[in-house]
Amino acid sequence: MRIDPICAWPPSIVRFNAAWPSQQVLILLVMAKSRKVFVCRACGAEFPSWTGQCHSCDEWASVGEAAVTASTPSVGTNAARPLAEVGQEFSLPFPVGVSEVDRVLGGGFAPGSCSLLAGEPGIGKSTLTLQIGLSMAQVGATVVLIAGEEAPSQVAARAARLGPVPESLLVVEDTDLNAIRAVIEQEKPQLVVVDSIQMVRDSSLDNEPGSVRQVKSVVRQLLDIAKPVGVSLLLVGHVTKDGAIAGPRVLEHLVDTVLSFDGERHGGLRSLRAIKHRFGPTDEVGVFEMTAEGLQAVPDPSDRYLQDRQAGLAGSVVFPSLNGRRPVLVEIQGLVGPLAGPVGQLSVQGLSHKRVSLVSAVLASRAGRAFNRNDVFCSAAGGASIDEPAADLAIALALVSALEGRPLSPDVAVCGELGLGGEVRNVPQLEHRLQELYRMGFRTAIAPSAAAQGPTGLTVIAVDTVSEAIALGLASGQPAAAAAA
Ligand code: TYD
Ligand code: MG
């Protein structure tokens, strides 16, 4: 005789043994029904035994005992069926009316979808979500704003600055999950904006709002409420310094779309991109500028980044970067000065510090240009943020141009990745980058020799090594002395 497994215990462990007294079997059954876990009140991490300090968030005396009742495995009622026979449902997205948001979402929010808008504090998440709410309410949609971060009066003041406030834009101050459930059931809105998800509380849990356990539970329940009735959710999530959304990246797998909003907080442009999108592409990027009238779309980012450029300046090189699949021209600037202290400093802004260090090491070893007796500054101008290796060659030419006081010709741009041997490597989407250069008035590009042909009217100077690029690039400009004359 055999007892079938209870809960998650494998059959090989729980077998009836005629020699066991019935009391022992009973204890075994009770143990199988519930087990104990120890849960951190601060972050929600679970441990099999008690610990004085949480191993996950380092909080002291935050771990306590909690009983977990194991569920009885249920017998599935849905038999396997051919995928080809499953009906397909297409829900057309409804446009948001903020052009750059619609571009990133591929047309708007799909009904019943859940999107997470993640970004650092102060980047403009509340402003963007309010603009989305205003725009959708303008065309008659009911939008509910759960204001957890700011008082409704503050939200109202901000909204009034951004434009006329339609009647169908509703605000709720209560961040209790039950209150949100009631509002969704009563109003049946097209969109619910939760600003922020870290402020919503599930009162059945004793963890703090914003803890992993709370945030996970809140999002799961919001999905259960909203999805069946076709209500779309837009959740705002603060990203911590190490880049995690809502603490660890606990929400990304639960939601349909993750939108990342980043950029330079002071001045500079902000980029909105989908880093996960179940309903469309992830390579579109929306570009905004924060103004006194809220976030304004920047339809031509290349023009915006190059507008303050002084052509013919030593240390200035134009680089065709790729923002999503959109080529954007950016000015890379180098400055090489005398040592201010006992050792040289490398100061980098808007570029990867590691990449600039690598480029300067390659220049020293492979091109005979050492910077060890100088302080070196290198930046992407205008608050741009570049982390692609395709910028290596432009960084190299900016540094050498600054070191030697020799500018590049104003209509030359540079693009290419550098290998440790000083070789110039190909870059993705070169053709698109070259087209953007031509559109913006550049007539010569220094690019990897594997380069695709540029558009008619753009001369591509193909280079194999960094030394070759320096020789051809710096010869294209006038020497500093001649330029000054
Ligand atoms: P906010 O949207 O509150 O950022 P987040 O929700 O991501 O924390 O706004 C960020 C900053 O933008 C804030 O410091 C004020 C500024 N701002 C403007 O410059 N112009 C405006 O029209 C608005 C609404 C905000
Ligand atoms: Mg905010």
Side-chain angles (χ1 to χ4, degrees):
M1 188 186 165
R2 183 186 151 206
I3 298 176
D4 278 326
I6 313 157
C7 318
W9 286 44
S12 56
I13 297 174
V14 188
R15 290 246 165 83
F16 180 73
N17 185 335
W20 290 357
S22 57
Q23 209 180 3
Q24 270 186 337
V25 175
L26 193 66
I27 291 168
L28 201 62
L29 285 169
V30 171
M31 281 173 64
K33 279 270 182 211
S34 70
R35 71 187 164 92
K36 284 199 173 124
V37 291
F38 293 81
V39 178
C40 172
R41 269 195 307 279
C43 73
E46 291 182 7
F47 305 97
S49 59
W50 184 83
T51 164
Q53 185 183 18
C54 172
H55 301 312
S56 176
C57 69
D58 294 336
E59 187 77 19
W60 285 95
S62 62
V63 177
E65 193 178 304
V68 172
T69 306
S71 55
T72 313
S74 60
V75 179
T77 51
N78 285 332
R81 55 186 168 143
L83 182 60
E85 287 173 13
V86 177
Q88 299 174 21
E89 271 179 37
F90 292 109
S91 308
L92 280 179
F94 51 85
V96 169
V98 177
S99 61
E100 298 296 284
V101 177
D102 284 332
R103 170 206 284 271
V104 173
L105 290 172
F109 290 114
S113 65
C114 178
S115 309
L116 174 69
L117 174 67
E120 286 185 15
I123 199 71
K125 300 180 296 301
S126 299
T127 309
L128 184 63
T129 49
L130 188 54
Q131 286 183 231
I132 290 171
L134 284 166
S135 166
M136 284 179 56
Q138 213 72 258
V139 292
T142 301
V143 179
V144 172
L145 189 58
I146 313 294
E149 303 266 336
E150 289 162 273
S153 55
Q154 285 174 298
V155 180
R158 186 186 294 214
R161 278 208 290 132
L162 296 172
V165 186
E167 287 283 306
S168 59
L169 179 58
L170 311 174
V171 64
V172 178
E173 197 174 6
D174 199 338
T175 52
D176 189 274
L177 187 61
N178 289 327
I180 299 173
R181 183 196 306 271
V183 170
I184 293 176
E185 281 165 3
Q186 189 184 326
E187 302 293 340
K188 299 193 176 50
Q190 270 76 41
L191 180 72
V192 176
V193 176
V194 182
D195 188 4
S196 68
I197 194 65
Q198 280 108 331
M199 299 299 288
V200 181
R201 174 189 281 274
D202 171 0
S203 47
S204 68
L205 300 175
D206 57 2
N207 308 74
E208 287 301 307
S211 66
V212 175
R213 221 165 174 223
Q214 277 278 356
V215 165
K216 266 186 177 174
S217 167
V218 162
V219 172
R220 284 210 181 97
Q221 292 185 64
L222 281 174
L223 287 170
D224 286 347
I225 303 164
K227 264 211 193 293
V229 288
V231 172
S232 300
L233 295 170
L234 176 56
L235 315 176
V236 172
H238 294 299
V239 174
T240 54
K241 272 210 180 93
D242 58 4
I245 299 168
R249 306 171 78 110
V250 287
L251 295 182
E252 291 189 18
H253 69 286
L254 289 177
V255 301
D256 300 308
T257 301
V258 180
L259 299 169
S260 165
F261 198 32
D262 51 39
E264 184 63 34
R265 230 186 304 172
H266 309 288
L269 303 184
R270 285 129 207 246
S271 300
L272 180 74
R273 73 190 77 216
I275 52 179
K276 169 185 173 180
H277 195 21
R278 280 196 184 135
F279 308 111
T282 54
D283 47 9
E284 281 290 359
V285 176
V287 182
F288 295 91
E289 183 170 23
M290 182 64 91
T291 70
E293 284 81 41
L295 289 157
Q296 303 289 332
V298 179
D300 192 346
S302 297
D303 184 54
R304 168 68 174 66
Y305 277 130
L306 297 187
Q307 69 187 10
D308 296 328
R309 170 178 171 246
Q310 285 189 30
L313 205 68
S316 160
V317 175
V318 171
F319 162 62
S321 73
L322 215 54
N323 198 353
R325 63 173 156 184
R326 206 170 173 186
V328 176
L329 305 193
V330 171
E331 181 188 6
I332 299 207
Q333 296 185 325
L335 180 69
V336 179
L339 279 183
V343 285
Q345 302 285 329
L346 173 62
S347 174
V348 175
Q349 208 177 352
L351 298 163
S352 152
H353 197 281
K354 273 190 192 156
R355 273 331 282 185
V356 180
S357 303
L358 180 144
V359 168
S360 68
V362 169
L363 285 171
S365 301
R366 309 291 180 189
R369 264 79 169 190
F371 298 89
N372 51 358
R373 290 186 197 180
N374 300 96
D375 283 343
V376 174
F377 304 85
C378 197
S379 70
S385 180
I386 308 285
D387 62 0
E388 27 165 10
D392 290 351
L393 194 59
I395 294 169
L397 261 66
L399 293 181
V400 176
S401 165
L403 180 73
E404 300 181 357
R406 299 163 66 197
L408 277 79
S409 173
D411 74 339
V412 172
V414 179
C415 172
E417 180 181 338
L418 276 187
L420 294 184
E423 77 277 17
V424 176
R425 294 166 169 260
N426 204 0
V427 300
Q429 307 234 26
L430 189 58
E431 213 174 315
H432 273 108
R433 299 181 200 246
L434 297 178
Q435 274 162 5
E436 179 70 355
L437 283 172
Y438 183 73
R439 184 184 77 82
M440 291 298 294
F442 290 82
R443 293 296 171 257
T444 309
I446 297 176
S449 61
Q453 268 207 322
T456 316
L458 184 96
T459 308
V460 178
I461 302 179
V463 291
D464 289 316
T465 65
V466 66
S467 301
E468 214 180 315
I470 293 169
L472 294 168
L474 298 192
S476 72
Q478 294 173 311

